[in-house]
Amino acid sequence: MQMKHELVLATRNKGKVAEVERLLKVHAPNVLLRSVAEFDLADVEETGDTFEANAILKALTIAKETGLPALADDSGISIDALGGAPGVYSARWAGKHGDDLANIEKVIRELVDVPDSKRGAAFVCVIALALPNGKTFTVRGELRGMVRHAPSGSEGFGYDPIFQPDGYQITTAEMSPEEKDSISHRGIALRKIAPEIQPFLSGDK
Ligand code: ITT
């Protein structure tokens, strides 16, 4: 039997954890995922101004602190009419980190006068792998869509209730988890990185 590679999932967001676990179980079955919650570590401060910088910062900090390889996700929504904001500030857009309802309300208010033709947006996800020795690797996934005027649906997390992907009439919060995975920014990034994990961990890449 092949040995499983241990990998610490360096995210505390429960919505993301569920999606990453679901996708890696299918696309990287040889990886034994451990949670950052198993270790007594402080939160990593996200000081970068790009998704790539923050994903690397999170993965590298956790890899160094645990002595194990780590995988981190930095993600968010980039809204055309807001010049790409909230971007890396998506989790704390309304002030308090991770207050999904307040974040949604703030975006709805900011776009109140913006017509449908100008409500384009993208969900962006950068996944980083890091080793305790400093080696890193990143991939990016994006999903284009538009911002709805009002929330709809109760699946998913974050901005899902107001995000309608291109080609759909429903929000990502109205999709089954499997349907969201099949098109999402995180699904795209994880399917890209899955085949790279084993070579990366065993030093072949
Ligand atoms: P970790 O840093 O612990 O991974 P976090 O929630 O702080 O968790 P980020 O800084 O990457 O993570 O912020 C991501 C935010 O972007 C998240 O809180 C949501 O508001 C939003 N977001 C990311 N992916 C999303 C998705 O699939 N659906 C809806 N909103 C999403």
Side-chain angles (χ1 to χ4, degrees):
M1 209 181 83
Q2 217 171 6
M3 261 250 302
K4 284 213 175 194
H5 285 287
E6 280 189 291
L7 185 63
V8 181
L9 179 50
T11 179
R12 294 179 194 271
N13 177 318
K14 293 195 172 71
K16 284 187 189 176
V17 170
E19 292 188 2
V20 173
E21 284 180 340
R22 216 162 49 223
L23 281 150
L24 285 187
K25 206 189 275 176
V26 176
H27 298 287
N30 284 324
V31 169
L32 179 65
L33 267 190
R34 298 195 48 190
S35 163
V36 70
E38 291 175 42
F39 306 85
D40 186 23
L41 303 174
D43 277 347
V44 179
E45 219 188 312
E46 293 173 35
T47 51
D49 56 10
T50 63
F51 291 112
E52 278 78 9
N54 280 331
I56 288 173
L57 186 67
K58 286 192 256 188
L60 205 49
T61 307
I62 300 300
K64 289 195 165 147
E65 288 179 348
T66 59
L68 289 169
L71 179 145
D73 161 306
D74 198 57
S75 49
I77 189 168
S78 233
I79 299 173
D80 302 349
L82 301 179
V88 292
Y89 304 106
S90 294
R92 50 192 141 137
W93 191 231
K96 189 170 151 243
H97 193 106
D99 188 342
D100 290 346
L101 274 180
N103 288 338
I104 285 177
E105 275 170 17
K106 182 170 184 210
V107 164
I108 289 175
R109 260 195 327 271
E110 286 169 328
L111 298 190
V112 74
D113 294 324
V114 178
D116 284 0
S117 60
K118 299 208 166 99
R119 298 179 72 94
F123 269 156
V124 181
C125 171
V126 172
I127 304 261
L129 282 173
L131 296 182
N133 69 10
K135 196 167 103 165
T136 62
F137 179 73
T138 63
V139 294
R140 174 184 267 253
E142 291 194 21
L143 174 64
R144 286 288 309 174
M146 61 96 72
V147 179
R148 286 271 195 96
H149 293 268
S152 190
S154 55
E155 296 284 342
F157 66 100
Y159 297 88
D160 280 328
I162 53 167
F163 186 83
Q164 177 178 306
D166 285 350
Y168 288 78
Q169 295 303 319
I170 57 173
T171 68
T172 40
E174 293 174 295
M175 292 183 170
S176 69
E178 293 71 26
E179 189 172 16
K180 182 181 169 190
D181 289 348
S182 72
I183 59 163
S184 80
H185 49 316
R186 190 163 297 100
I188 293 167
L190 283 164
R191 283 188 292 274
K192 264 191 211 170
I193 211 162
E196 313 289 343
I197 295 177
Q198 203 164 321
F200 181 85
L201 299 186
S202 37
D204 299 341
K205 194 146 187 163

